Amino acid sequence: MSDWCADEHEPLAIDRGQGVHVYDTNGNGYIDGNSSIWTNVHGHSHPVIDSAIREQLEKIAHCSFLGTTNEPAILLAEKLVGLFPPATLGRVFFSDDGSTAIECALKMAIQYFQLTGDMQRHQFIAFQGAYHGDTMGASALGKISAFHKRFESFGMPVCHLEQTTQLQGIDGEKVIAIVIEPLVQGAAGIRLWPSGMLKELRHWCDENGVLLIFDEVMTGFGRTGKMFACEHEEVMPDLMALAKGLTGGYLPLAATLCTASIYEAFLGGPERTFYYGHSYSGNPLGCAAALANLRVFEDEDTLEKLPSKVDHLAGGLKSLAEGNPHVAEVRQCGMVSGIELAGGDGMLGARCCIAARKHGLLTRSIGDTVVFLPPLVISPAEIDEALRALERGISEARGQSLPA
Ligand SMILES: *Cc1c(COP(=O)(O)O)cnc(C)c1O
């Protein structure tokens, strides 16, 4: 805050957006290179999503989801379930954001074992480098020093693993659930998991009666090249958290999906009730935006157009890294990418991002890794433009400027 509030600091105030571009209050345009923190999918001011929200607003903005329901929420739940194979994730529970979607999955998992009489389970398993949100429960699952260290001693019982081989030493009968960001850890700095890992986790969970929770808050809705990251390995979890891209990056809404067998454990008397709800659960405006987001996936063949964009991005990252002494490594999973800078001091990434703004790219870094995670609607030419801006930003931050 002292930097932000310093006299010489000129905050960047974003005023409007159109497609992959956002514009500041001085009228400067930028490619939204981190999809407004990993939320935007089809671009800003998309006519279909805009008008879906307006139409819903003509009817009602919000009404409690406690004891009443609404049409957009019903239709959205049905649509979401339809995105998964039959008899897998058949039930939907709405909340507000990625963190609460995770909280909800954790509480469901805990209560599920209480209701099925399996009382010895008391521990969660998560991973080094994990990020699952900033609320207390989600934060206890996380393991990134800057975010989590100071709260560690206040958290839940969580065992953090580095890799799956460590499961051998774990007493499976004591474990409630394994929680993982499938395929790629986002906040850790775009870190890719080895392939085949989800199958291994599924197998261990099945052998030990442990629930498997996928946090697809960042990876969901096309980011990795398929609708959901778990599709790459054809592994289904027992619970899944969705948020960020759910409304196309328009409004805060989240969903926790679960299997029929988890759902059924909660049926019966009031003592089985899942006492969990937020004031804005099932918000009709958010659900209308999410329905429109899913409609645009179909209307614009968003997923079908991805493979060629993913290839184009791979080519662009390769040429950015090749022969560039300032780039240590590039990592990519679908449209999610990280450019790790060489010889950084932890702030070099941020300096590159600031420098790249002048060349028309707005993005963020995690330490010395610059994240490039654009809206899926981005064109190959815009990918090139963004990477050129980044290349200039890197050179300038390293004290060399490229010829214009
Ligand atoms: C962003 C994120 C969250 C938290 O979502 P919020 O909407 O910011 O609460 C959880 N998990 C992952 C993998 C994320 O990237």
Side-chain angles (χ1 to χ4, degrees):
M1 284 315 294
S2 27
D3 285 350
W4 180 268
C5 297
D7 285 344
E8 65 276 15
H9 180 239
E10 184 82 37
L12 183 65
I14 299 300
D15 188 38
R16 61 196 178 88
Q18 186 64 55
V20 297
H21 291 94
V22 292
Y23 297 87
D24 67 20
T25 41
N26 297 319
N28 300 309
Y30 309 87
I31 290 178
D32 187 357
N34 79 338
S35 299
S36 296
I37 199 62
W38 313 350
T39 61
N40 193 281
V41 179
H42 304 296
H44 296 277
S45 303
H46 193 289
V48 172
I49 307 177
D50 286 7
S51 64
I53 294 172
R54 284 201 188 95
E55 269 169 42
Q56 180 56 43
L57 191 55
E58 295 291 317
K59 296 183 189 168
I60 190 168
H62 183 63
C63 177
S64 168
F65 212 50
L66 309 180
T68 54
T69 187
N70 66 72
E71 192 176 80
I74 296 167
L75 295 176
L76 177 59
E78 193 177 26
K79 268 273 181 199
L80 287 175
V81 165
L83 298 174
F84 298 96
T88 58
L89 299 173
R91 295 286 168 175
V92 178
F93 190 96
F94 289 116
S95 61
D96 302 341
D97 51 52
S99 307
T100 53
I102 289 289
E103 296 293 335
C104 175
L106 299 180
K107 286 194 168 183
M108 274 187 194
I110 293 169
Q111 188 169 338
Y112 169 76
F113 285 117
Q114 291 171 350
L115 295 174
T116 53
D118 200 343
M119 306 303 278
Q120 63 193 329
R121 299 183 184 270
H122 62 82
Q123 186 183 48
F124 287 92
I125 292 179
F127 290 87
Q128 297 287 338
Y131 180 83
H132 299 288
D134 286 338
T135 54
M136 281 303 273
S139 172
L141 293 173
K143 197 75 172 169
I144 298 174
S145 172
F147 289 111
H148 305 123
K149 191 144 186 55
R150 60 177 79 247
F151 306 109
E152 247 165 30
S153 62
F154 296 87
M156 302 182 304
V158 181
C159 171
H160 289 97
L161 306 183
E162 213 136 343
Q163 50 183 14
T164 50
T165 51
Q166 290 170 287
L167 285 169
Q168 285 162 6
I170 302 258
D171 181 358
E173 293 187 348
K174 304 275 164 63
V175 178
I176 295 168
I178 298 183
V179 189
I180 187 167
E181 296 157 82
L183 256 55
V184 51
Q185 289 184 325
I190 316 298
R191 302 256 158 212
L192 311 188
W193 287 120
S195 69
M197 179 170 175
L198 301 181
K199 273 208 167 65
E200 270 181 69
L201 292 179
R202 182 71 271 178
H203 181 73
W204 189 87
C205 285
D206 289 343
E207 289 215 307
N208 291 282
V210 170
L211 296 176
L212 183 58
I213 303 176
F214 284 171
D215 178 349
E216 292 241 18
V217 170
M218 184 274 277
T219 52
F221 302 100
R223 293 289 171 204
T224 67
K226 293 187 187 281
M227 197 59 157
F228 300 104
C230 65
E231 293 174 35
H232 291 272
E233 296 196 10
E234 295 179 2
V235 173
M236 288 301 295
D238 302 292
L239 289 145
M240 182 185 283
L242 297 174
K244 289 193 168 108
L246 173 59
T247 61
Y250 267 67
L251 288 166
L253 180 76
T256 305
L257 278 67
C258 77
T259 59
S261 66
I262 293 177
Y263 168 77
E264 279 156 19
F266 289 77
L267 301 178
E271 74 284 358
R272 296 191 161 250
T273 298
F274 186 52
Y275 282 98
Y276 190 112
H278 293 289
S279 318
Y280 285 96
S281 290
N283 174 254
L285 286 174
C287 291
L291 278 169
N293 173 44
L294 293 175
R295 212 174 323 130
V296 177
F297 266 97
E298 291 169 17
D299 294 349
E300 298 186 0
D301 296 322
T302 304
L303 294 177
E304 290 74 8
K305 289 175 186 160
L306 278 182
S308 64
K309 294 185 191 185
V310 170
D311 285 350
H312 192 86
L313 174 59
L317 290 170
K318 190 160 173 261
S319 24
L320 176 72
E322 258 169 15
N324 189 332
H326 307 310
V327 176
E329 185 181 58
V330 291
R331 296 183 288 274
Q332 182 191 4
C333 177
M335 293 299 279
V336 174
S337 68
I339 298 95
E340 185 171 329
L341 304 172
D345 54 1
M347 294 305 291
L348 177 60
R351 290 198 300 276
C352 285
C353 293
I354 301 275
R357 284 183 189 176
K358 288 196 293 296
H359 305 289
L361 172 67
L362 185 63
T363 192
R364 283 179 68 83
S365 58
I366 298 167
D368 290 318
T369 296
V370 175
V371 176
F372 183 56
L373 192 160
L376 302 185
V377 72
I378 195 168
S379 69
E382 287 160 341
I383 291 175
D384 293 344
E385 195 186 321
L387 293 180
R388 263 199 311 274
L390 180 57
E391 191 179 13
R392 289 179 179 281
I394 294 171
S395 302
E396 287 174 17
R398 303 255 44 177
Q400 292 170 276
S401 58
L402 293 181

